[in-house]
Amino acid sequence: GFMIISGYKRILAHQEMGLHEIDSRIMPEGLTRLECLCINLYENLTVRELNPVERGMVLSRLQSWVPQDQILFQYMPLLGLPSHKQTLALYQKIEQDLDDAVKESLAGGRLSMQAVKMLMDQDPASRSALFGLISGINLNMNQQTQVIDDIIDISYIERKSIPQVLTNHALENIVSDPHMNNPQKAKAVLDHLRGRRSPTVQKAERVFKSKVASLDLPKNVQISAPPYFEGPHLKLTIWFNNGKQLQDKIRQISKIDNLDALDFPWKVEP
């Protein structure tokens, strides 16, 4: 029988189109597995860039036949990767440790490499639970790392395993809510996790928003605090069309009662 060295997907495509013949090249007998791998690798690199999962597959297979230094200085630059042992270990772990669902998401660009690095630091049960949440509501790249970070912190704060942290009725209700789309669920999940991670900050935000709302600001005027109150200044934003409109809004703002009492929540709350 014959072994396919390269072109397996092309053969599948021909079959799907109902074609039973395909031009092929039969290679000489006696090729080593390394030679077959290199033929496949070089052919693919001439037409496209390999995704992270494919890179992991190549580097994982090479370690059986090629010294590590040769992999680092010959093959990793070929794959567009830095010649670092940590990077080599990371991509080999992608091939060896991740399950098919995570690999598929990474290869398809739906899961970030930073999120993958964080997932691989967790035990298999925690990794599976985290990935289930991330993929279930299609978090974007930034949200993925933020959610993982928050859940890890909550795990330490609440002294629970990550699967236990995620076994939470409020969180489960958000994910399963049929009236919210994925972006709305993502925001709700982030708000929920932030509240569990920093309940004092969340309370301060509620107090601050209530205080701002009580000021009855003019239309197109907004007062905001820095995220998590990690900054020394509040911000006033005014939208206007011309100088007279700006002057009018400034005059209205200056007449607001209790404006002088506005401050960071912990400075005004007992």
Side-chain angles (χ1 to χ4, degrees):
F2 292 95
M3 178 180 69
I4 300 171
I5 296 176
S6 184
Y8 180 70
K9 289 184 179 179
R10 278 167 282 177
I11 293 174
L12 292 180
H14 272 67
Q15 288 178 340
E16 289 179 5
M17 292 187 294
L19 303 175
H20 303 290
E21 295 183 1
I22 183 171
D23 291 335
S24 303
R25 180 179 177 184
I26 299 176
M27 303 302 292
E29 292 185 14
L31 289 178
T32 66
R33 289 187 176 271
L34 176 58
E35 288 171 326
C36 292
L37 175 62
C38 287
I39 290 170
N40 181 290
L41 173 61
Y42 284 109
E43 187 192 19
N44 277 285
L45 288 176
T46 60
V47 294
R48 65 185 180 89
E49 182 179 324
L50 302 188
N51 65 52
V53 175
E54 292 170 325
R55 289 171 177 171
M57 292 170 62
V58 171
L59 294 173
S60 185
R61 284 157 177 71
L62 282 172
Q63 69 180 342
S64 300
W65 308 306
V66 178
Q68 186 180 79
D69 284 348
Q70 187 179 349
I71 296 175
L72 287 169
F73 297 108
Q74 178 180 341
Y75 289 98
M76 292 190 70
L78 187 66
L79 294 170
L81 299 173
S83 300
H84 299 157
K85 290 183 179 180
Q86 296 90 337
T87 304
L88 173 60
L90 169 65
Y91 278 84
Q92 289 174 336
K93 284 183 68 177
I94 287 174
E95 164 63 13
Q96 296 163 7
D97 294 355
L98 296 184
D99 61 36
D100 290 344
V102 180
K103 288 180 182 177
E104 183 179 344
S105 188
L106 176 60
R110 297 183 299 277
L111 188 66
S112 72
M113 275 298 298
Q114 183 58 37
V116 167
K117 292 176 186 177
M118 299 170 76
L119 289 174
M120 288 197 295
D121 288 336
Q122 308 305 316
D123 61 85
S126 297
R127 187 186 306 151
S128 177
L130 287 167
F131 177 71
L133 176 62
I134 289 171
S135 60
I137 55 176
N138 294 325
L139 295 176
N140 66 37
M141 301 299 182
N142 291 331
Q143 291 169 341
Q144 291 169 13
T145 54
Q146 186 177 346
V147 161
I148 295 172
D149 249 341
D150 285 349
I151 292 171
I152 291 171
D153 285 349
I154 293 168
S155 175
Y156 286 116
I157 292 168
E158 298 183 357
R159 297 183 180 182
K160 295 178 180 178
S161 69
I162 286 175
Q164 288 173 331
V165 168
L166 295 178
T167 305
N168 174 279
H169 289 305
L171 188 58
E172 291 168 349
N173 287 340
I174 292 170
V175 174
S176 62
D177 190 333
H179 303 295
M180 288 196 289
N181 58 31
N182 281 334
Q184 291 170 331
K185 289 181 180 181
K187 183 182 183 304
V189 165
L190 287 166
D191 288 344
H192 167 85
L193 294 176
R194 186 173 59 173
R196 288 173 69 179
R197 182 186 184 187
S198 306
T200 303
V201 172
Q202 190 178 60
K203 180 182 177 182
E205 287 180 340
R206 287 198 298 267
V207 170
F208 179 78
K209 288 178 180 178
S210 175
K211 186 70 176 179
V212 170
S214 71
L215 296 175
D216 194 22
L217 293 169
K219 185 179 179 182
N220 294 328
V221 174
Q222 185 181 81
I223 294 176
S224 58
Y228 307 105
F229 296 102
E230 294 177 349
H233 304 295
L234 303 178
K235 183 170 72 173
L236 172 68
T237 304
I238 303 175
W239 289 270
F240 59 94
N241 296 325
N242 52 55
K244 184 180 183 305
Q245 196 177 84
L246 174 61
Q247 192 175 48
D248 289 342
K249 290 188 182 298
I250 291 174
R251 188 180 297 112
Q252 292 175 57
I253 293 169
S254 68
K255 295 179 180 179
I256 294 175
D257 292 334
N258 300 322
L259 189 61
D260 58 343
L262 181 65
D263 208 334
F264 284 87
W266 47 84
K267 295 182 180 179
V268 298
E269 290 295 308

